Amino acid sequence: MSGSRAPALVTLGESMGLITAVETGPLEFARSFSYGIGGAESNVAIGVARLGHAATWIGRVGRDATGDMIERRLLGEQVRALVVRDDGFTGLMVKHRRFGTALSVDYHRAGSAGSRISRADLPPGCIEEAAILHVTGITPALSDSASDTVFHAVERARAGGVTVSVDVNYRAKLWPAAVARPVLLRLVAQADLVFAGVAEACLLLDAVDRPPIDELARAVSALGPHQVVIKDAERGCAALVDGSAYRLPALPVSVVDPVGAGDAFVAGYIAEHLAGKPAAQRLHTATAAGAFAVSVPGDCEGLPRRADLNTLIAYEDVAR
């Protein structure tokens, strides 16, 4: 266990080692690699911490160098890490750019330490003391015990009056849509706040044709959550928050690495939610955080701090 701050955000899931080929081209010809960490939930925890709020991440890592690195990185980011060391290996992601901006990500995580998370890993009070519990649709796909842990955490949060945030985060490489959909629907129905991409919203709604983004937000809201944010990459986002609709364009930036942009967006929104900011400000910060993330290689390296956001606001004012 690392850190001692009382958490405002609690999240749980799998964090992995991230191997990234530096050169563009077939992976077999790559000779230079960087090594970092990745994982949707730990990315969000880091993003929220960088924006000035206490954050806790719960998960399992192996008794290996990658597990050591993950715990140290979280500690260095001022994230309170409730880490269980497991005899299994710490999972890995391998990322390379085949051509242009086309990224490919392979997972090596079946049977990993992170996939063996269980409800026993959630200490008494760790959920109940939070302001927001954030979970994703990735963790239930990892194993039966991981799925059970997510729903147990959500149940405890709801019983304790804690806001439940869900990022649908469907990963086709982890489970087929027909298996994922009923699980994701159950998760969304218990959420207060839901983030989804356009394709993910269509999956939830079993929509063959893509409806307008504002209609998607209304339809997902009808499933239960009173805050729904639909992320539409470079086209911006739409939201329905307590019955009020919002639209916001994406910021025009050069995309270096799109992986992790959705997590940055979520972190920005949650950080402003914790700060008591109105929905429009939450979305503005979320959009800015996503823009920072895509401009830097890596899963979490580009997550902004408050000073970065202030610099961007000043730049936008000048541009106008």
Side-chain angles (χ1 to χ4, degrees):
M1 183 183 300
S2 308
S4 60
R5 293 186 300 170
L9 168 74
V10 168
T11 188
L12 58 103
E14 181 175 31
S15 191
M16 296 168 286
L18 173 58
I19 302 170
T20 305
V22 175
E23 300 95 346
T24 300
L27 184 61
E28 62 187 293
F29 298 115
R31 295 297 177 266
S32 300
F33 297 85
S34 64
Y35 198 43
I37 72 170
E41 299 86 1
S42 54
N43 288 346
V44 171
I46 291 171
V48 167
R50 286 191 182 181
L51 291 174
H53 296 280
T56 290
W57 176 83
I58 304 169
R60 290 190 176 215
V61 298
R63 306 179 196 277
D64 47 35
T66 302
D68 294 341
M69 178 183 66
I70 289 169
E71 189 166 9
R72 285 197 299 267
R73 284 286 300 275
L74 291 171
L75 175 62
E77 294 287 353
Q78 300 300 303
V79 172
R80 180 188 181 210
L82 303 183
V83 172
V84 176
R85 291 291 182 150
D86 189 280
D87 291 334
F89 64 94
T90 304
L92 295 175
M93 294 187 290
V94 179
K95 183 167 65 174
H96 75 284
R97 194 186 310 274
R98 179 63 180 83
F99 61 89
T101 59
L103 279 172
S104 176
V105 180
D106 296 324
Y107 298 107
H108 301 272
R109 67 200 308 181
S112 67
S115 71
R116 289 152 61 154
I117 190 172
S118 74
R119 62 170 66 188
D121 299 335
L122 308 178
C126 69
I127 304 296
E128 292 77 6
E129 68 184 357
I132 295 177
L133 169 71
H134 177 71
V135 297
T136 77
I138 295 174
T139 309
L142 300 181
S143 67
D144 289 342
S145 70
S147 182
D148 174 72
T149 304
V150 167
F151 283 102
H152 176 68
V154 169
E155 181 182 335
R156 282 174 53 177
R158 289 174 60 86
V162 175
T163 295
V164 176
S165 167
V166 171
D167 190 349
V168 174
N169 243 332
Y170 172 66
R171 295 288 185 268
K173 288 186 177 181
L174 295 178
W175 52 351
V179 175
R181 184 171 180 267
V183 179
L184 296 174
L185 282 172
R186 180 184 164 203
L187 195 58
V188 165
Q190 299 180 68
D192 302 293
L193 166 60
V194 167
F195 300 92
V198 170
E200 292 166 343
C202 289
L203 170 63
L204 291 172
L205 301 169
D206 200 21
V208 177
D209 298 319
R210 169 181 164 153
I213 190 171
D214 52 344
E215 290 184 16
L216 283 175
R218 283 196 296 271
V220 174
S221 182
L223 299 175
H226 60 88
Q227 296 185 63
V228 173
V229 183
I230 306 296
K231 302 173 287 183
D232 198 13
E234 70 276 5
R235 289 169 291 277
C237 64
L240 189 68
V241 180
D242 297 323
S244 296
Y246 301 84
R247 287 289 300 270
L248 201 66
L251 295 175
V253 295
S254 297
V255 177
V256 174
D257 185 350
V259 177
D263 303 330
F265 183 102
V266 170
Y269 189 97
I270 288 177
E272 299 296 41
H273 194 296
L274 291 168
K277 301 297 183 182
Q281 181 61 48
R282 297 175 214 164
L283 292 167
H284 185 272
T285 299
T287 300
F292 271 103
V294 301
S295 64
V296 176
D299 254 32
C300 58
E301 285 77 358
L303 293 166
R305 294 178 171 82
R306 285 288 173 189
D308 298 319
L309 294 179
N310 293 337
T311 300
L312 180 61
I313 291 170
Y315 173 80
E316 288 182 299
D317 289 341
V318 170
R320 293 193 189 98

